[in-house]
Amino acid sequence: MEAERIGLFTDGPLRSAVSCFRASCVQYRLVVRDANTLQICQLYTCLDQIQHIEWSADSLFILCALYKRGLVQVWSLEQPEWHCKIDEGSAGLVASCWSPDGRHILNTTEFHLRITVWSLCTKSVSYIKYPKACQQGITFTRDGRYLALAERRDCKDYVSILVCSDWQLLRHFDTDTQDLAGIEWAPNGCVLAAWDSCLEYKILLYSLDGRLLSAFCAYEWSLGIKSVAWSPSSQFLAVGSYDGKVGGRPRGEAHGQCPSGSDHVASTRPPPQVRILNHVTWKMITEFGHPATINNPKIVVYKEAEKSPPLVLGRLAFPPPRAAAGPLSSTESEWRQRSHWDGHQALQWYLARRSSRNTASQGRARGQALCAAASFPPSPVFHEVASVPVSLQTLKPAADRANPRIGIGALAFSPDNCFLATRSDSVPTAVWIWDIQKLRLLAVLEQLSAVRCFQWDPRQARLAICTGGGKVYLWSPAGCVSVQVPGEGDFQVLSVCWHLSGDSLALLSKDHFCLCFLETEQGVGTAFGQRGDHT
C-alpha cells in the first residue's frame, strides 16, 4: 500500500457516488480531484467558510453548505461556469442534503421549523413542516422512491412517508414513543425501524403503508437503545443497548406489540448470554454479551504489541513499476516473496515522494523515478494472538455525569452479511467480531488506545480500524495486521473511509487526509498518490 497526504480540509475528503472524484474544502475553497491520479480537476470559490459538502447521486453536482450565513452553493462538474445559490434568509440553516435523484436539495432551518425542498430543474419550492430534531430524523429508501421523516407536533411523535418524485404525502401515522430518537429503512425498503430515546428501551417496526409489524422491548427501568444497524440483506436488525449486549432479530411477519408488563419483557436480572427465539415473530433470536474476560479457547484474541518492528529503510528498494507487458523484475520478485505472512497475502505500505511536482499530463506515469521509499513488511509482532483467559481493559463510567460511557456505541455488518463488528464503550480499546452464520463470537481485537472508528470494505469482509494514533489496523478472516502510516510528522488517524471499489482507503486527521492504495496480487507498486495543495 502506498500513501500520500493532501492538504488541509474542513469537511472531507468526500468521494463521489461513481468513485471518480474526491472533494475536499479549505475554508472557502472547494477542491475536486481525480480519485485515481489525485490531479486537481476543478477549484471553486465560495462566499464564506464551508461547513459541509455533499455529492449528488450521479456525481454531476456538489453542494457546499455555509451554515453561518444560511447559504447553500451548488457547483457543476460538467459546466464549471454554472452555479446556484440558495439563501434561506432569516430562517437560517442547520442541515442540508441531496435527494436521491440528485436534482433536489433539502434544507433544514434553524430550530427545525421546517424543511425546504428546492428543485434545480423547475426552480420550485416545497415545504415540510414539523421536522423533529433527533439523532436520525430523515431517511431515504435505497431505491430513492420514498422519504421517511420524524415529526413532533402537539407533544407527540409522528412519521410521515413522502413520495420523492412529487413530494406528496403517502402515509402519516403516530408512533408509540415517548421521545423518538431515530428512524431507518431496511435496505430492501420494506420495513421502517423507529426507536425511542435512551430513557426507554423500545423499537418499533412499520411496513411501508404505516402498519405496525412489531414492537420489542428487552427490559424496563434502565437506559435503553444506543445504536441500531440493519444487515445488508435486511434479514437482521442489530440493536445495541446500554446493558452491553447486542440483540439480533431477523425479519419476520409477526404482528402485535410487546407491551409493558408482558411476558416478552425481560426481567431485571442479568439475561442469559444467548437467546434463540422464533424467527417469524420479530423477536430476538440471540444476544451477544461483551464480557471483560474472554475464556473460550475458540475465540481468537489479537492484542496489539507494545513495540513494532523497526522501519526498514533502503534495505529493500521500492519495486520499479512494471511495463505494460513486461516480466517481473528481480527486485519485484524478491519483494513478492517477502509479502506473505502465515501463508496469506499481507498488506504492504509504501511512501513514495516525487522529487518534483508532476504535471497533469504525467499523472500516474509508471516510469517516474522515486526519490524515497520505505518498506513496512507485515509481521506477527504487530499483533499477538493471546492465550485465554484474556482480561480486557475496562473503563469505569462516571455515574454522576450525563451520557455515561457504557453500552454498544458502534455496530456495522460486513457487506457479505457474514460478520458483525461492535464496540462496547465500557471496553473502548476492543473491537468484537461476530460470526452471524454461527451466532457466536469469532475474534476480539484489543488495541493500546481507544477505538475511534471502524468501517468495512464495501467489496469484501475486511475491516479497517483507527484509534486516533499513527496506525491503521486491518482485520479479515485470514488474520489481523497493524501498520504505521508512512509520512512526515505526526499523522493522527481519526477516521477512515473506503473507496467503493475497495482498492483504496482514505485516512482522515484533524486537518489532513491521506489517500492509500492497496496492492493486489495482479499488480504491485502500480498505485501512486500525488501530493497536492489547496493554495
Side-chain angles (χ1 to χ4, degrees), residues 84-337:
C84 171
K85 184 178 74 171
I86 300 174
D87 190 351
E88 291 291 345
S90 59
L93 182 67
V94 296
S96 181
C97 67
W98 285 101
S99 66
D101 64 359
R103 297 299 179 268
H104 295 81
I105 295 176
L106 283 71
N107 288 342
T108 304
T109 61
E110 287 186 346
F111 307 108
H112 285 73
L113 297 178
R114 70 187 184 202
I115 292 179
T116 309
V117 183
W118 301 83
S119 173
L120 300 183
C121 299
T122 63
K123 298 182 180 180
S124 61
V125 182
S126 303
Y127 298 99
I128 305 175
K129 295 182 178 180
Y130 311 113
K132 183 175 183 179
C134 58
Q135 178 183 0
Q136 187 174 333
I138 183 170
T139 177
F140 292 94
T141 56
R142 289 199 176 181
D143 58 9
R145 297 178 60 186
Y146 302 106
L147 160 70
L149 177 69
E151 298 180 358
R152 184 75 174 180
R153 60 176 74 181
D154 300 328
C155 300
K156 291 188 65 177
D157 293 324
Y158 296 86
V159 170
S160 291
I161 299 178
L162 296 91
V163 181
C164 294
S165 58
D166 53 8
W167 304 106
Q168 295 298 314
L169 182 64
L170 178 65
R171 287 289 184 273
H172 178 76
F173 53 90
D174 63 325
T175 61
D176 185 20
T177 54
Q178 297 295 327
D179 185 11
L180 183 62
I183 55 176
E184 185 175 357
W185 286 106
N188 60 9
C190 295
V191 179
L192 177 69
W195 57 94
D196 215 325
S197 68
C198 64
L199 298 180
E200 183 174 353
Y201 197 115
K202 180 182 292 186
I203 186 164
L204 310 167
L205 297 126
Y206 294 93
S207 63
L208 187 60
D209 58 2
R211 290 181 296 110
L212 178 63
L213 300 177
S214 181
F216 176 77
C217 46
Y219 51 81
E220 290 183 302
W221 316 116
S222 183
L223 293 177
I225 297 173
K226 191 170 187 178
S227 54
V228 176
W230 285 98
S231 66
S233 63
S234 302
Q235 291 179 316
F236 295 93
L237 176 63
V239 183
S241 57
Y242 280 88
D243 67 345
K245 294 183 173 61
V246 180
R249 301 184 294 110
R251 292 176 59 243
E253 300 177 355
H255 301 266
Q257 187 173 351
C258 177
S260 175
S262 70
D263 55 359
H264 298 303
V265 181
S267 61
T268 57
R269 65 180 183 274
Q273 293 296 318
V274 177
R275 291 177 182 170
I276 300 178
L277 303 178
N278 194 319
H279 70 281
V280 182
T281 58
W282 283 100
K283 294 179 176 61
M284 185 169 58
I285 61 169
T286 188
E287 190 172 68
F288 297 144
H290 293 66
T293 303
I294 307 297
N295 296 313
N296 191 344
K298 295 183 179 181
I299 301 173
V300 182
V301 180
Y302 297 97
K303 290 180 69 72
E304 185 182 3
E306 291 289 344
K307 295 182 180 180
S308 300
L311 173 65
V312 182
L313 288 173
R315 194 179 70 182
L316 181 62
F318 191 94
R322 195 170 20 153
L328 292 176
S329 65
S330 60
T331 306
E332 186 171 352
S333 298
E334 178 186 0
W335 181 86
R336 283 198 174 190
Q337 293 175 1

